[in-house]
Amino acid sequence: MRRIFTFVIAVLAAAQMMAQGWPSQYKGVMLQGFYWDSYADTQWTNLESQADELAEFFKLVWIPQSGKSASEPSMGYNDLYWFTDYTSSFGNEQQLRSMINTFKSKGLGTIADVVINHRSTLADTWMSFPAETYKGVTYTMTPADICANDDGGETAAKAEVKPTGAADTGDDFKGARDLDHTSANVQAMVKAYLDFLLNDMGYAGVRYDMVKGYAPAYTAIYNTAARPQFSVGEYWDGTQQVKNWIDGTRADGAVQSAAFDFPLKYLLNDCCNSGTGWSTLAGSCLANDISYRRYAVTFVDNHDTYGRGNGNDLTANAVAANAFILAMPGTPCIFLPHWKAYKQELKQMIYARTTAGVSNESTFETLNRAATQYAVKVNGEGGRSVVVLMGAKTWPKSTAAETDYFCVSSGDNYAYYLSRNAETAWTSVPSGTYGEPFSVTLRAVTASPGVQLVYTTDGSEPTADNGTTVDDGAVLPVDGDITLKVGILAGGAVSGVVTRRYAIEEFTPHDITVCVNADAVGWKAMYFHTWGGDNSHNTSWPGTQITATKTVGGKTWYYNTYRLNSADDYVSFVFDEGKGKPQTVDVVNITTDKYFEISTSLSDKKHLVNDVTEQYATGIGAVETVAPQTLRRNDVYTIDGRLVRRVGKAATVSEALDGLAPGIYIVGGKKAIK
């Protein structure tokens, strides 16, 4: 009987821990897998295709609100359907479930963006909501579920039916109906919604949007019912206000949600944007507070701060800022544009953080606090640690000796170190896909002098009898796909083995053509403002006036051609009618031929862009036969330069494309359609 009682207590305790806001001693890193208008990058199919790479570095991926919104395209913050329609701007329900399941199979949890402060209504109404059935219960909202003072009283004055709920328990949100969380019906719907997301869809946790809009006690109610292992709220304010919100989520004596560390974001903006005053980073924030760092989700930028023109983004030293959050306690959340731009550096720092065993509750020591440098040593597990230098990269005069540390990454205004007692092998190049052969330096991060390394390239485990033995600092050429495993060899035993997976997708420089139609907006002129990639495409605002046109599908298209010079090259666009005239939202990271139609106006001066490439990309000539002598090895590429087939013999284009999926390819330096 005593054993049964003990077991029940243990189960209850475990369940309670699952509902305590954010796991204790959590060592994972999160990716924000979207940015504003990331409609192409954040397609569920595109994210799923990156699962293997993401799973090596992240434990969580936060994605946009995934239900159908009141209008499309949408980033999801005008949410309409909670249970029955998951067709969004990022894909359909089948694609969403496939992505979540693929992520889960690889150890990646998906974080749902939960918008429950407000909800949109059916078309052209103020107070009509869909009726949806889940687990045999039909849910809908009524005027009694909407705050009586919604939209500052405008809803009561203009709606066809007046809202009759209680007054808002938080900040007002204009543009959708603010939900009355005192309503039993609203609470029942939110609880069912979270159950659907976590237990039907398979999400691992939740990110609550705009929690300033309702009292934190309701987050406590919802999380004690849903028991998400991961919960983080968006409360943008000063340190004490964010702490008050975290404390306000307490239920049964336990905090029920973490919060984004906006106070740290503000500190990073202050010093990184100016490149001075690095001691600012010692200021007040969640990560610097031993009582709150467990609940700190740290970040450098997000979809609301980055490129929105509101003055809240980090404009310089982005890698340094990421180095800081990847060293400090809290749970770092890396922003997708930063991940794409700085993968090499971020991967190495994530490796180091993981190797040292740094968690969201790690302690740290200040090594130097001055305007020219802020340096901290963050303590991991087993005496291991990382050191980050912000500003000046000269090693500070402190109790931590530079000889006890190995530099894993260094750049403008930062250096990141791993303690040598980590006793691990290291590589100068992280796992990844590269556009050409390269060399990797093998290193031993150890406190013992004179050790050797042993490695294999076929994925087998290196031992004293299996693999190639080399000295510390040996250089290994990589000219094909390999799985490298390398460890420290000492006294006949191998330890500290690391795995790096390298793929070579050789790149052929090629042209892409971008076509734009503006019939829906009636523009009299067309400018392409471009930037990004290797910066050879950059223009000054308002860009280059485009006068070349062609007719495809009965429509007139402005077009321009760009040369992509490397596997990392791309072009980003804003289309506009000229200086001071209407423009579009950003269209970023284009690497293939594209057809865009400028459509719905978001405001007087900004328009959406629809990608209609599949409908209009028919301007490729017929498949042709290329003379045998013009064909080379490595001959078939995708339109964005990825090698898909090596052709080692003379062949026609048709033969080279045989068996490949339908699409546009580059064969012998020319475009061909399959």
Side-chain angles (χ1 to χ4, degrees), residues 52-63:
D52 285 330
E53 180 183 35
L54 296 179
E56 184 174 355
F57 300 96
F58 299 100
K59 295 299 182 186
L60 301 169
V61 179
W62 161 31
I63 66 170

Side-chain angles (χ1 to χ4, degrees), residues 151-187:
D151 274 15
E154 186 177 2
T155 304
K158 296 182 178 180
E160 66 276 6
V161 179
K162 311 307 179 190
T164 59
D168 204 327
T169 60
D171 291 355
D172 186 38
F173 178 84
K174 187 174 178 61
R177 305 290 70 80
D178 279 16
L179 304 187
D180 172 18
H181 288 272
T182 71
S183 161
N185 186 46
V186 169
Q187 291 182 23

Side-chain angles (χ1 to χ4, degrees), residues 516-645:
V516 179
N517 175 271
D519 290 350
V521 290
W523 287 2
K524 304 302 182 184
M526 176 65 70
Y527 288 74
F528 286 15
H529 174 51
T530 55
W531 71 94
D534 66 0
N535 295 319
S536 66
H537 321 293
N538 293 5
T539 65
S540 299
W541 181 256
T544 301
Q545 183 171 9
I546 304 300
T547 57
T549 62
K550 63 180 177 178
T551 301
V552 178
K555 294 187 176 183
T556 300
W557 303 83
Y558 295 93
Y559 71 93
N560 200 31
T561 298
Y562 302 87
R563 186 72 167 175
L564 296 190
N565 300 303
S566 70
D568 298 325
D569 200 7
Y570 60 87
V571 191
S572 295
F573 295 84
V574 166
F575 308 112
D576 63 277
E577 198 182 10
K579 194 170 184 178
K581 299 290 183 68
Q583 67 183 64
T584 67
V585 297
D586 293 359
V587 179
V588 299
N589 302 339
I590 302 305
T591 59
T592 64
D593 287 354
K594 287 290 185 180
Y595 283 77
F596 293 112
E597 288 184 333
I598 300 172
S599 63
T600 313
S601 176
L602 292 176
S603 65
D604 290 341
K605 290 190 175 183
K606 188 160 284 192
H607 296 265
L608 293 175
V609 177
N610 297 327
D611 185 344
V612 292
T613 303
E614 290 188 9
Q615 184 177 353
Y616 290 100
T618 57
I620 306 300
V623 174
E624 58 184 287
T625 299
V626 180
Q629 63 269 23
T630 68
L631 286 178
R632 302 179 304 276
R633 190 168 174 82
N634 306 331
D635 208 37
V636 183
Y637 298 84
T638 61
I639 195 69
D640 58 348
R642 291 180 291 107
L643 174 67
V644 294
R645 171 172 292 168

Side-chain angles (χ1 to χ4, degrees), residues 265-266 268-275 278 300-301 305-322 338 342 412-413:
K265 154 70 175 170
Y266 303 146
L268 286 167
N269 277 6
D270 289 344
C271 61
C272 289
N273 287 354
S274 65
W278 297 99
V300 171
D301 258 323
T305 67
Y306 175 83
R308 301 295 303 279
N310 54 25
N312 291 322
D313 48 355
L314 189 114
T315 58
N317 294 298
V319 182
N322 278 283
H338 291 165
Y342 313 117
D412 291 344
N413 286 311

